[in-house]
Amino acid sequence: MRPVARTALRAAVLFAELALLAVLVWFIQLRVGWIAIPDEAPLAVELYDPDYSEAGIGAARLLAQMRSRTGVPGASAAVSIDGRPVWAAGVGFADIETLAPVTPQTSFRIGSTSKAITATVLARLVAAGTLSLDDTVATHWPDPLNPNWGKLTIRRLMSHTAGLPGYENNTDLKGLIGSLLMVRRYDSVEAGLSLVDGSRLLDEPGEGFYYSSFDVNLAARTAEAATGLSYQELLTELVTGPLGLETPYLADRGDRPSFEASWHQIRSGRVRQHPHTDVSQRWPSGGLAARSKDLVRIAGAWLDEDFLPRAVVEEFWIPVRLNDGTVNEQNYAIGWRNDQSTTRFGPAVAVRLLHHGGVSRGAMSWLALYPDLGIAVAVNINAETPDFADFASVEPQIMGLFARAAGRAPESSS
């Protein structure tokens, strides 16, 4: 047998053994550890503006109903208006074993909502003249892990139109297995990119849309090279520091903070702790943790011209076109999806909606910004529902309450 064939055979055998082990572990875990959630769930509310007390009461009720309906252990939500937080709440349990309550101080893994945070970092760098969206990786990182990455621009990477693979189409077999198992601790963004450095590009830049976390990680690594700062330092100096926030932060970078929610699995009205996974491989794209009230503060800061110039904001919010001139299939801009919602206030009243959601093992996140209304809403839970809308559908209801309380609901302005 030829050496190449032997290597391929060994890889196939290894993959089969790992798959069998995963099935065995899954079968064992399927049957143990499930407990019932207590009927009485604690509720904590922070109201920062008394003008919204009635809306806040209604929103807390909606949040509690969503938690009860979906069976998730805990949930948090927050609202900002014109960049200023006006309400935040937490309901249920941050940890089902200790019964620690969720409060507005509780942070959650936010999965791919991290991409909108990384977009905020990059927008600040573009505003400062440190980067351009049309800079290539090689402009700042002349010798990337894969030489094919050098030609990719930040614009293409952050809009998922660079041709870089995602987890499911990664042809780097070792990296594919590592990204699925999520057990190794990575100490840098560059180390996490080793999971895909042996993979081929799926297409030439601009030829197709391929949603990926690796491309956002690569854009973040390019920003590190341009500034000489780590992603953690960029996040602190450009976002959390100027806004006076304690979160977002890099999850699994060290000991888990006491205010971070545990991760859970739910099934048929019962719940258990989710097996530990390490998200350090994907910090810029899916590995951050944050409080809901800090997420709406960041989203709202995009409306503040002292934080981001309007010209930069609009450049980041324009859905990116492919080489054939068509807009990509998800209306994806730079780290945000840009949609016109016809469901929030009815089909006759479309409202502009910038948003990003995230799924992490044992957690889900949703961040929505309505720039023309000046309203941002975040919702986070510490389990995964069967359908994303099972929990995220509470956001339009909460937003509607505050839009009407602020006199900004489109139907009330006519």
Side-chain angles (χ1 to χ4, degrees), residues 85-96:
V86 296
W87 169 89
V91 62
F93 304 96
D95 187 292
I96 195 61

Side-chain angles (χ1 to χ4, degrees), residues 17-279:
E17 290 174 344
L18 288 172
L20 182 61
L21 177 61
V23 169
L24 179 60
V25 171
W26 171 81
F27 183 78
I28 294 172
Q29 290 181 342
L30 190 64
R31 301 176 178 276
V32 299
W34 297 97
I35 59 176
I37 300 177
D39 292 333
E40 295 296 323
L43 174 66
V45 178
E46 292 179 357
L47 183 68
Y48 312 116
D49 187 330
D51 289 343
Y52 298 100
S53 59
E54 186 175 346
I57 292 171
R61 184 181 302 115
L62 288 170
L63 187 68
Q65 290 171 349
M66 180 275 289
R67 190 213 64 83
S68 179
R69 183 184 73 253
T70 58
V72 300
S76 77
V79 175
S80 70
I81 297 179
D82 297 332
R84 181 173 57 89
V86 296
W87 169 89
V91 62
F93 304 96
D95 187 292
I96 195 61
E97 294 183 353
T98 66
L99 297 184
V102 173
T103 76
Q105 311 307 317
T106 303
S107 66
F108 294 74
R109 282 182 172 179
I110 64 171
S112 286
T113 303
S114 304
K115 293 176 173 66
I117 307 304
T118 297
T120 308
V121 170
L122 294 175
R124 295 272 284 167
L125 291 174
V126 169
T130 306
L131 288 176
S132 163
L133 286 178
D134 294 316
D135 286 352
T136 64
V137 170
T139 302
H140 303 287
W141 191 15
D143 190 24
L145 299 181
N146 185 320
N148 292 321
W149 296 350
K151 64 184 178 182
L152 307 179
T153 67
I154 294 174
R155 187 186 306 275
R156 290 294 180 202
L157 289 167
M158 289 298 296
S159 62
H160 309 294
T161 59
L164 207 66
Y167 301 123
E168 71 284 354
N169 43 27
N170 181 6
T171 57
D172 184 327
L173 181 59
K174 182 179 178 181
L176 172 63
I177 294 171
S179 65
L180 294 176
L181 293 178
M182 293 180 65
V183 293
R184 176 183 165 188
R185 177 66 54 86
Y186 293 82
D187 60 5
S188 67
V189 174
E190 183 173 337
L193 283 167
S194 66
L195 291 168
V196 73
D197 64 348
S199 184
R200 61 176 178 83
L201 295 181
L202 301 176
D203 222 332
E204 286 299 306
E207 289 299 311
F209 179 86
Y210 304 96
Y211 185 81
S212 170
S213 286
F214 294 124
D215 46 16
V216 176
N217 292 351
L218 182 53
R221 177 65 189 92
T222 304
E224 289 182 329
T227 61
L229 299 175
S230 70
Y231 180 75
Q232 172 66 72
E233 291 169 332
L234 289 169
L235 182 62
T236 300
E237 293 195 13
L238 297 173
V239 181
T240 58
L243 296 178
L245 307 177
E246 196 170 359
T247 78
Y249 56 88
L250 278 58
D252 293 325
R253 187 166 181 257
D255 294 336
R256 192 172 71 187
S258 60
F259 53 77
E260 183 179 311
S262 299
W263 328 291
H264 300 86
Q265 296 172 312
I266 55 175
R267 186 186 69 178
S268 303
R270 300 176 74 81
V271 64
R272 67 178 180 187
Q273 293 276 4
H274 194 291
H276 178 73
T277 54
D278 193 300
V279 297

Side-chain angles (χ1 to χ4, degrees), residues 220-341:
R221 177 65 189 92
T222 304
E224 289 182 329
T227 61
L229 299 175
S230 70
Y231 180 75
Q232 172 66 72
E233 291 169 332
L234 289 169
L235 182 62
T236 300
E237 293 195 13
L238 297 173
V239 181
T240 58
L243 296 178
L245 307 177
E246 196 170 359
T247 78
Y249 56 88
L250 278 58
D252 293 325
R253 187 166 181 257
D255 294 336
R256 192 172 71 187
S258 60
F259 53 77
E260 183 179 311
S262 299
W263 328 291
H264 300 86
Q265 296 172 312
I266 55 175
R267 186 186 69 178
S268 303
R270 300 176 74 81
V271 64
R272 67 178 180 187
Q273 293 276 4
H274 194 291
H276 178 73
T277 54
D278 193 300
V279 297
S280 60
Q281 62 174 257
R282 57 187 72 172
W283 281 324
S285 59
L288 300 181
R291 294 169 174 147
S292 292
K293 65 179 183 178
D294 290 347
L295 290 177
V296 296
R297 180 73 179 88
I298 293 171
W302 281 75
L303 307 177
D304 181 358
E305 292 202 44
D306 290 333
F307 185 76
L308 282 173
R310 185 57 40 206
V312 172
V313 170
E314 292 302 332
E315 184 178 17
F316 270 67
W317 283 354
I318 296 173
V320 173
R321 294 183 180 272
L322 302 176
N323 293 340
D324 64 7
T326 61
V327 173
N328 71 81
E329 64 193 57
Q330 290 191 12
N331 273 355
Y332 211 98
I334 309 298
W336 295 91
R337 293 179 179 91
N338 185 339
D339 291 317
Q340 291 286 324
S341 171

